[in-house]
Amino acid sequence: MNWLPRWLRHYRRADLPGDVSAGVIVTLLLVPQGLAYALVAGLPPEAGLYASLLPLLLYAFSGGSHAQSVGPMAVTSLLVAATLSRLAAAGSDDYLLAAIWLALLSGAMLFLFGLLRLGFLADALSQPVLAGFTAASALLIVLSQLAPLAGFRAGGASLPDIAQAFLAHVAALNPLALLLGLIALLLLVLARRYLASLLHALGLASGVARTLSRTAPMLVVLGGLLAVTLAGWQSQLPVVGVVPGGLPALRLAALPSLGLAPLVMPSFFIALINYVQSLSVAQMLAAPRRESIDPDRELLALGLCNLGAGLSGGFPVTGGLTRSVVNADAGANTQLASLITAALMVLLLSTATALLAKLPLAVLAATIIASVAVMIDFRTLRAAWRTERADAVAFAVTFLLVLALGVDAGIVAGVVISLSVWLMRSSRPHIAVLGRVPGTEHFRNVLRYHTEPLPGVLLLRVDESLFFGNARHVGNAIQQLAAASPDSHSLLLVMSAVNRLDMTALAMLERLDDGLAERGIRLHLAEVKGPVLDVCKRAGLAARFDGRLHLSTHIAIQQLCPGSDYQI
């Protein structure tokens, strides 16, 4: 029985009521989400339902989060649409096959990354860049749904394309669809704002009221179905149409005529975004329970989920924030809740898909707009502007590039911006001139603290690891500081903040030692960390600095200027 997940081997009967209620409530949310996100991706509605089934089962047996709910997500769906809109005609067999292969390829990549223990890939996108990407993607999704809300179709993967397509087709506006869509959107906005408070006022516990309010999309969908059926409007409105009944067949899809080569890089970036999103949600849910999430395990689990989605005719999936939070709030204690959701999805696909045929697309568009609009969030930008302007610029540039170029180009730009900001900061590290705090063994920045001078010794601290990106700058800066201190016979470099050295940095230290020696200044090193010292020993630098490597700054100063000793 060791192959069973830990939560199932040690399942407690007390967890069952919460898991059952969570499984039912998440199903009510997942059905409209699955249909809606398939619409965003440009795929038939059943693709969203198929993508909502097998991934739930696979994550329950392989994932590490107790409440993570895996399935289609808005941003991922937009990434699929942006990728495929340039490669195949929407609605064509090639388009569907390519979407399936995006799931298969991204799943295979994620699984391989998990085997290679590359969980650090989640750090390829900084928080400001990810926030800017998410906000811009959400805005594009909202704008892309204005046409379905008004009863006509218009494509586009970037702001200019969406605006041009909308204006070109606006003459096809359907007043009835627009009215129904606006009513649905108003109800969803009111439900988000007031339904939980109303239910609480009627006597429900606040947690129960909040959870039930999250089922508003399903209630609006059912209301839309009822209105269309009773009024006989299905012939006057764009509707979902026939949704094939029965469970999806598990098979490897045929290759699209365009081949797999154009899908490889988009699959990688979809995998990256999905992994960052899923890991963030899993860690957020684990924090209140004081649990830890293994990033490499999440890579493996998410890889299996995407492989499952592709084999069952779906498209890329990830851990959805809204669904997972609802799952946790509804009482999910274990992944049994997801198994119950999957069982109810099986029941729906087997018996009730005919009910979805008359669902107006305008209502689905309203559910998308209502759920995604809250992701257009500029709080990160405001916080970054107050604390670190470079992060604010990264947010703004990513946001504007996603709007202008589309999410697929925007995510590439986001990775480049994240790495560029890191390299920019690391390439110009802070170098502090230190002095001794009087009466202590502490040495601090002379610009920030009252310190006493150290006769004949220039004391410097580099607040960054030394590598090829900053070695030249650091070497030049130290030479300039030494030139500005002509009375110094020794330069003590405090390396307490240096966590690693590469070959370029080692060569820089050798050149620096030679250059300072020509000026009559001896270079000393203090507080060299063990791993850094090991590198120095292997490179022969430790032997070069024999007698000039000091355990602490205090010991070094006692040796270099003994006349300045003191009593504490």
Side-chain angles (χ1 to χ4, degrees):
M1 298 291 285
N2 287 337
W3 59 272
L4 292 175
R6 187 177 185 278
W7 67 263
L8 191 54
R9 295 198 307 270
H10 303 285
Y11 193 81
R12 301 178 305 171
R13 183 177 299 179
D15 292 336
L16 185 60
D19 286 339
V20 171
S21 63
V24 173
I25 288 173
V26 170
T27 304
L28 297 178
L29 180 63
L30 187 54
V31 172
Q33 276 194 349
L35 296 170
Y37 294 154
L39 176 65
V40 172
L43 295 166
E46 63 268 19
L49 299 179
Y50 295 163
S52 305
L53 179 56
L54 193 54
L56 287 170
L57 296 172
L58 292 171
Y59 188 85
F61 286 95
S62 61
S65 171
H66 75 286
Q68 177 93 281
S69 180
V70 178
M73 194 206 29
V75 174
T76 302
S77 301
L78 186 60
L79 273 167
V80 170
T83 298
L84 300 185
S85 61
R86 295 192 299 270
L87 301 175
S92 66
D93 289 341
D94 260 358
Y95 192 99
L96 177 58
L97 290 174
I100 291 172
W101 275 99
L102 283 177
L104 291 170
L105 289 173
S106 63
M109 290 178 187
L110 287 166
F111 192 80
L112 177 61
F113 295 158
L115 291 177
L116 296 175
R117 303 187 67 82
L118 301 181
F120 63 85
L121 284 172
D123 301 324
L125 287 171
S126 67
Q127 179 60 32
V129 166
L130 183 61
F133 173 81
T134 301
S137 299
L139 179 57
L140 285 179
I141 292 171
V142 169
L143 295 175
S144 71
Q145 294 309 299
L146 295 181
L149 188 75
F152 63 93
R153 293 183 180 273
S158 64
L159 180 57
D161 292 343
I162 291 173
Q164 183 179 359
F166 185 89
L167 293 175
H169 295 86
V170 72
L173 184 145
N174 185 318
L176 180 59
L178 180 61
L179 176 63
L180 196 60
L182 290 176
I183 291 174
L185 182 58
L186 178 62
L187 291 174
L188 288 167
V189 171
L190 292 175
R192 179 183 295 276
R193 190 174 183 86
Y194 300 113
L195 184 56
S197 300
L198 177 61
L199 293 174
H200 181 56
L202 293 175
L204 293 178
S206 59
V208 175
R210 184 175 62 253
T211 300
L212 289 178
S213 70
R214 302 281 179 85
T215 65
M218 190 63 183
L219 298 177
V220 170
V221 164
L222 292 175
L225 280 171
L226 185 62
V228 169
T229 301
L230 293 179
W233 289 338
Q234 55 266 35
S235 61
Q236 304 174 46
L237 295 169
V239 294
V240 168
V242 177
V243 179
L247 300 180
L250 296 180
R251 63 176 182 270
L252 187 64
L255 293 176
S257 62
L258 53 93
L260 296 183
L263 303 178
V264 174
M265 285 307 296
S267 296
F268 170 76
F269 287 113
I270 288 173
L272 178 62
I273 284 293
N274 282 349
Y275 173 54
V276 172
Q277 166 76 14
S278 183
L279 182 62
S280 299
V281 173
Q283 290 174 333
M284 180 194 71
L285 295 173
R289 295 162 61 103
R290 298 184 179 179
E291 296 174 346
S292 61
I293 297 295
D294 181 358
D296 297 314
R297 179 179 177 180
E298 290 304 296
L299 274 172
L300 292 169
L302 195 59
L304 288 174
C305 291
N306 277 277
L307 289 170
L311 291 174
S312 56
F315 53 99
V317 296
T318 188
L321 175 61
T322 302
R323 284 192 311 276
S324 299
V325 170
V326 169
N327 198 29
D329 286 349
N333 297 298
T334 70
Q335 279 294 325
L336 180 63
S338 289
L339 297 182
I340 292 171
T341 298
L344 293 174
M345 291 297 294
V346 167
L347 183 63
L348 170 72
L349 286 167
S350 302
T351 62
T353 54
L355 296 176
L356 302 175
K358 298 178 182 179
L359 175 61
L361 294 180
V363 173
L364 272 185
T367 65
I368 296 171
I369 293 172
S371 64
V372 171
V374 296
M375 297 165 59
I376 308 173
D377 188 352
F378 295 99
R379 284 177 296 181
T380 299
L381 176 61
R382 291 193 293 269
W385 187 257
R386 291 194 302 267
T387 56
E388 180 55 69
R389 296 292 172 85
D391 284 336
V393 171
F395 179 106
V397 171
T398 305
F399 182 85
L400 294 174
L401 286 176
V402 171
L403 290 183
L405 304 178
V407 289
D408 49 348
I411 187 57
V412 177
V415 173
V416 172
I417 291 169
S418 292
L419 297 178
S420 298
V421 170
W422 168 78
L423 185 59
M424 179 186 69
R425 289 171 173 167
S426 300
S427 66
R428 296 292 186 271
H430 178 250
I431 301 176
V433 178
L434 305 183
R436 183 167 55 195
V437 178
T440 75
E441 297 181 4
H442 301 294
F443 299 84
R444 294 293 185 267
N445 191 331
V446 298
L447 299 179
R448 295 176 179 271
Y449 292 84
H450 171 63
T451 61
E452 60 186 14
L454 302 167
V457 178
L458 176 59
L459 183 56
L460 302 178
R461 186 189 68 227
V462 180
D463 293 334
E464 180 63 74
S465 293
L466 299 177
F467 69 110
F468 68 92
N470 64 18
R472 181 179 58 82
H473 170 78
V474 169
N476 291 341
I478 292 175
Q479 288 278 18
Q480 291 171 7
L481 289 169
S485 182
D487 297 331
S488 297
H489 58 74
S490 299
L491 190 154
L492 178 60
L493 187 60
V494 179
M495 299 182 67
S496 56
V498 177
N499 296 314
R500 66 182 180 90
L501 292 174
D502 67 1
M503 289 297 297
T504 307
L506 290 167
M508 179 273 290
L509 288 175
E510 290 181 349
R511 291 194 303 271
L512 180 63
D513 187 33
D514 293 336
L516 292 174
E518 293 176 358
R519 296 181 176 180
I521 300 176
R522 285 178 60 81
L523 176 62
H524 295 253
L525 306 179
E527 301 187 25
V528 182
K529 294 182 177 179
V532 176
L533 185 59
D534 292 340
V535 173
C536 293
K537 289 178 179 178
R538 292 194 295 269
L541 196 68
R544 180 188 181 104
F545 280 87
D546 186 33
R548 293 183 286 156
L549 285 170
H550 306 278
L551 182 63
S552 71
T553 306
H554 174 61
I555 293 173
I557 294 300
Q558 282 184 318
Q559 176 182 329
L560 295 175
C561 44
S564 66
D565 204 0
Y566 55 88
Q567 299 293 325
I568 298 180

